[in-house]
Amino acid sequence: MTTLTRRIVSLLTPRGRDVSSNAETSPVWSCNEWDSLEEVVVGVVDGAMVPQGDAAVDAIIPEHAEWFIKKYGGKPFPEEMIEKAGEELDGLAKVMTDLGITVKRPQPFDFSKKYTTPWWSSRGLYAAMPRDVFMVFGDTIIEAPMAWRSRYFEGFAFHDLMNDYFKRGGRWLVAPKSTMDEEFYDKNYDSRVPMKDNKKQFVLANNEIAFDAADFVRCGKDVFVQKSNVTNDMGIEWVRRHVDPEFKIHEVEFGDLHPMHIDTTIVPLAPGKILVNPEWVKKLPPIFDSWEVLTPPPPVISEDTGLYFSSDWLTLNMLSIDEKRIIVEEQETPLIEALKKWGFEPIPIPFRNFYPFGGSVHCATLDVRRKGRLESYF
Ligand code: DAV
């Protein structure tokens, strides 16, 4: 074989790396949503800012929340909201520490500082939702490019942690940032007309790579992703090219007309068991035919819960400690009862005051280490 053909052959060979050999040794290892949790990052709300309406923010703000953005956009979240949510995050961290799980928190970061790129200026958002920015595929942490201008530098609030994981042998892959200039957003998108010719419309053009990590959900070798107002075709293709063939990326679409993040739509809880949002999921793709589909009761929405950046379904945004134990918001009693009936062991915690920041327990966390191997469940 000549040198030239040998080089071509090696290019054609898949990365030739046995990811699973790092399951025991890497500080980063997580392949699904339910293996026994060993290490987790919990977000913080310190210094959280309300985003200024840009096109991608406006695309998902519920009508009833427009007043909040008008009043506080570009300003800090009210101090009292930060205090109460911060206490709940600390409570979540303590519950997991008490369960023997290693809990890490992001470093302090000034989100109020105005920054200017060659195309626009913005202030930051927060470090409350590590789930949105990072995802773990086996021994690799992937950092998402994001799609909101206010989130352009958000990853840096976690870089002390990421550098430490890297030093200890973890792999860290950062997706290319887009310009987020005017062309990045589709000027013709109208959030009041989310369907055209039977096709779902999204605010992002597809001229640069965009995704949030929370649009992906992992079931071992099979990973599911939805296109959304923060994730476009190029973003999905970028992830696919970097994780294939160890992981197979399946694109799915459900009934949420203003999608952003898949973790209130389909929630895998254990091998062969998936919770689905009954409002948006009428039918799962055939790959789930052998899985048991669990349909939750409606969410508990109290009058004083400000859902400014999300739907009513934060209810489903739970974190599995293992195949049985699930951390869930304590006021969601119908869901808690349903989980018990299905054989799970819910761990209720107060988390209502975090909802107005746009997520619940799943959003607020990033599972960096879980036990287990990379397996196929289909
Ligand atoms: O239901 O609006 C919110 C999830 C945020 N990470 C929803 C999705």
Side-chain angles (χ1 to χ4, degrees), residues 60 62 126 129 131-132 151 212 214-215 226 256 258-265 277 280 309-315 317 357-360 362-364:
I60 61 100
Y126 49 42
M129 316 275 180
R131 180 77 53 190
D132 297 358
R151 309 193 82 170
D212 273 18
D215 273 321
Q226 67 172 2
D256 182 1
H258 299 97
M260 172 178 167
H261 304 160
I262 200 167
D263 51 356
T264 56
T265 302
N277 183 313
W280 299 332
F309 302 98
S310 73
S311 73
D312 295 351
W313 286 95
L314 293 183
T315 313
N317 196 251
F357 293 82
S360 186
H362 195 258
C363 296

Side-chain angles (χ1 to χ4, degrees), residues 287-362:
I287 186 172
F288 287 102
D289 281 356
S290 63
W291 279 45
E292 186 185 349
V293 179
L294 306 173
T295 307
V300 175
I301 305 296
S302 58
E303 294 252 309
D304 56 349
T305 307
L307 294 168
Y308 303 132
F309 302 98
S310 73
S311 73
D312 295 351
W313 286 95
L314 293 183
T315 313
L316 307 188
N317 196 251
M318 314 174 284
L319 181 72
S320 293
I321 299 299
D322 53 35
E323 287 180 22
K324 288 267 178 235
R325 293 176 294 171
I326 307 170
I327 302 187
V328 47
E329 208 284 322
E330 68 181 7
Q331 288 182 36
E332 307 285 2
T333 42
L335 177 67
I336 292 171
E337 289 315 309
L339 287 169
K340 284 185 193 158
K341 210 180 73 202
W342 294 322
F344 295 98
E345 296 162 21
I347 304 174
I349 62 158
F351 218 60
R352 255 320 127 146
N353 291 299
F354 189 75
Y355 280 21
F357 293 82
S360 186
V361 184
H362 195 258

Side-chain angles (χ1 to χ4, degrees), residues 139-342:
D139 60 355
T140 304
I141 295 189
I142 296 181
E143 181 170 339
M146 314 308 286
W148 288 10
R149 290 173 178 172
S150 55
R151 309 193 82 170
Y152 207 75
F153 295 109
E154 194 165 308
F156 282 92
F158 301 87
H159 277 195
D160 281 357
L161 293 175
M162 298 304 140
N163 280 307
D164 182 54
Y165 290 131
F166 180 76
K167 278 186 197 155
R168 292 193 282 132
R171 293 162 57 95
W172 177 18
L173 199 57
V174 182
K177 282 238 171 275
S178 62
T179 59
M180 296 193 197
D181 66 1
E182 292 302 312
E183 278 74 50
F184 178 71
Y185 305 103
D186 179 356
K187 274 188 264 328
N188 297 318
Y189 176 78
D190 180 349
S191 65
R192 293 162 304 180
V193 194
M195 293 291 285
K196 265 189 207 161
D197 304 327
N198 257 327
K199 252 188 101 197
K200 214 187 277 186
Q201 303 295 303
F202 302 97
V203 69
L204 298 185
N206 190 42
N207 60 343
E208 294 183 84
I209 289 161
F211 65 90
D212 273 18
D215 273 321
F216 292 78
V217 61
R218 305 153 309 147
C219 297
K221 283 177 167 291
D222 294 277
V223 176
F224 300 87
V225 60
Q226 67 172 2
K227 218 156 102 174
S228 80
N229 286 307
V230 288
T231 297
N232 64 11
D233 290 323
M234 279 182 73
I236 294 172
E237 182 56 23
W238 184 88
V239 174
R240 180 177 284 128
R241 275 187 215 167
H242 284 80
V243 302
D244 192 71
E246 285 103 345
F247 297 89
K248 186 165 165 48
I249 303 290
H250 305 262
E251 190 178 329
V252 289
E253 184 181 331
F254 299 108
D256 182 1
L257 294 178
H258 299 97
M260 172 178 167
H261 304 160
I262 200 167
D263 51 356
T264 56
T265 302
I266 53 171
V267 183
L269 294 177
K273 285 186 190 179
I274 187 162
L275 189 68
V276 305
N277 183 313
E279 207 176 302
W280 299 332
V281 183
K282 299 301 171 204
K283 206 178 151 358
L284 281 171
I287 186 172
F288 287 102
D289 281 356
S290 63
W291 279 45
E292 186 185 349
V293 179
L294 306 173
T295 307
V300 175
I301 305 296
S302 58
E303 294 252 309
D304 56 349
T305 307
L307 294 168
Y308 303 132
F309 302 98
S310 73
S311 73
D312 295 351
W313 286 95
L314 293 183
T315 313
L316 307 188
N317 196 251
M318 314 174 284
L319 181 72
S320 293
I321 299 299
D322 53 35
E323 287 180 22
K324 288 267 178 235
R325 293 176 294 171
I326 307 170
I327 302 187
V328 47
E329 208 284 322
E330 68 181 7
Q331 288 182 36
E332 307 285 2
T333 42
L335 177 67
I336 292 171
E337 289 315 309
L339 287 169
K340 284 185 193 158
K341 210 180 73 202
W342 294 322

